[in-house]
Amino acid sequence: MRVAIAGAGNVGRSIAQELIENGHQVMLIERQPKMLRPDRVPAAEWVLADACELTSLEEADLASCDVVVAATGDDKANLVVSLLAKTEFAVPRVVARVNRAENEWLFTDQWGVDVAVSKPRVMAALVEEAVTVGDLVRLMTFRQGEANLVEITLPPSAPYVGHPIHSVPLPRDAALVAILRGKRVLVPTPDDPLEVGDELIFVCTAEIEDSVRTVILGADSVERTRNAG
């Protein structure tokens, strides 16, 4: 992929380095000369420009990018970058950093944002994922609530432990996309059996999260979770 990242601070540089290591082309756009540090990520293309300016984005050929990441420390700037990327350059995927939790409600598709990433939310999800067995943990939200990435770690009481995946009656609008088993990442196939301790990663709509929980953990799991809360 060709990826443009607006903001070359610690966050932007870290994202760029990770993407480059995974074989992607990365362009870092930074408006402050003192933040322009090509030696930090030498494999990236560096552009000194204001990513909130339409002409700057035209000169950077933003339309050729598959993904734009608005990663500045300013929520207003990230919203402007997202809107311009989507409406003026038809970038297929726009990911935006949310710096202040109270602004998260603004980061919707109306502003061109496909995925909003809030560090407090991500950290909370990682904490839950690390300690929660026998419940559904929401890891990430896509397209502003239309779909979520969720995780369930199977307890011994899960009804389909020992059963092949094809026997699990998942509801419509839910897909099992990965199984984390020990240090392995498994791509699920219909005949794979589920094991105690498996971390099941699903993509599903928000409306059917309770249905997924019920199927994977049992009919009383939703009520148990509500009572625990």
Side-chain angles (χ1 to χ4, degrees), residues 136 170-175 203-214:
L136 181 147
L170 282 178
R172 186 178 178 181
D173 296 328
V203 174
C204 63
T205 59
E207 291 76 13
I208 56 99
E209 282 183 1
D210 281 351
S211 298
V212 172
R213 182 191 278 114
T214 297

Side-chain angles (χ1 to χ4, degrees), residues 188-203:
T189 64
D191 294 325
D192 287 336
L194 298 177
E195 298 181 4
V196 172
D198 279 354
E199 295 182 49
L200 308 183
I201 309 297
F202 297 91
V203 174

Side-chain angles (χ1 to χ4, degrees), residues 60-61 63 70 133 141:
D61 193 19
V133 175
T141 297

Side-chain angles (χ1 to χ4, degrees), residues 5-228:
I5 300 174
N10 290 332
V11 172
R13 293 198 307 270
S14 296
I15 296 169
Q17 191 61 54
E18 188 79 19
L19 290 170
I20 288 168
E21 289 175 0
N22 289 335
H24 302 295
Q25 293 181 316
V26 175
M27 172 173 59
L28 277 162
I29 305 173
E30 174 56 54
R31 67 183 181 86
Q32 298 185 52
K34 66 179 181 179
M35 296 297 292
L36 213 65
R37 300 171 181 171
D39 57 304
R40 297 289 183 92
V41 192
E45 175 187 352
W46 287 75
V47 176
L48 179 61
D50 187 344
C52 293
E53 294 287 342
L54 187 60
T55 53
S56 297
L57 298 179
E58 288 173 345
E59 291 173 3
D61 193 19
L62 205 72
S64 69
C65 293
D66 302 292
V67 181
V68 165
V69 182
T72 79
D74 184 332
D75 285 343
K76 295 189 294 295
N78 289 343
L79 287 171
V80 171
V81 171
S82 299
L83 186 64
L84 290 175
K86 186 66 73 173
T87 59
E88 298 294 329
F89 299 96
V91 174
R93 193 73 165 164
V94 177
V95 179
R97 171 188 177 188
V98 184
N99 294 279
R100 299 178 65 86
E102 61 267 29
N103 294 333
E104 191 169 358
W105 66 276
L106 287 165
F107 285 72
T108 68
D109 54 0
Q110 292 182 319
W111 279 94
V113 178
D114 293 306
V115 180
V117 181
S118 167
K119 283 190 287 186
R121 172 180 288 185
V122 171
M123 290 177 68
L126 290 173
V127 169
E128 287 186 286
E129 189 273 334
V131 301
T132 304
V133 175
D135 194 16
L136 181 147
V137 176
R138 185 178 297 170
L139 301 177
M140 186 174 290
T141 297
F142 301 107
R143 301 189 65 82
Q144 297 306 306
E146 291 180 24
N148 297 318
L149 186 71
V150 303
E151 182 265 356
I152 298 175
T153 300
L154 292 183
S157 59
Y160 289 95
V161 166
H163 293 251
I165 290 172
H166 67 74
S167 68
V168 181
L170 282 178
R172 186 178 178 181
D173 296 328
L176 177 62
V177 296
I179 300 174
L180 309 184
R181 182 175 294 162
K183 295 182 179 180
R184 300 176 62 201
V185 178
L186 307 177
V187 178
T189 64
D191 294 325
D192 287 336
L194 298 177
E195 298 181 4
V196 172
D198 279 354
E199 295 182 49
L200 308 183
I201 309 297
F202 297 91
V203 174
C204 63
T205 59
E207 291 76 13
I208 56 99
E209 282 183 1
D210 281 351
S211 298
V212 172
R213 182 191 278 114
T214 297
V215 168
I216 301 301
L217 296 173
D220 62 342
S221 61
V222 175
E223 194 61 36
R224 284 202 312 269
T225 299
R226 288 173 179 163
N227 289 340

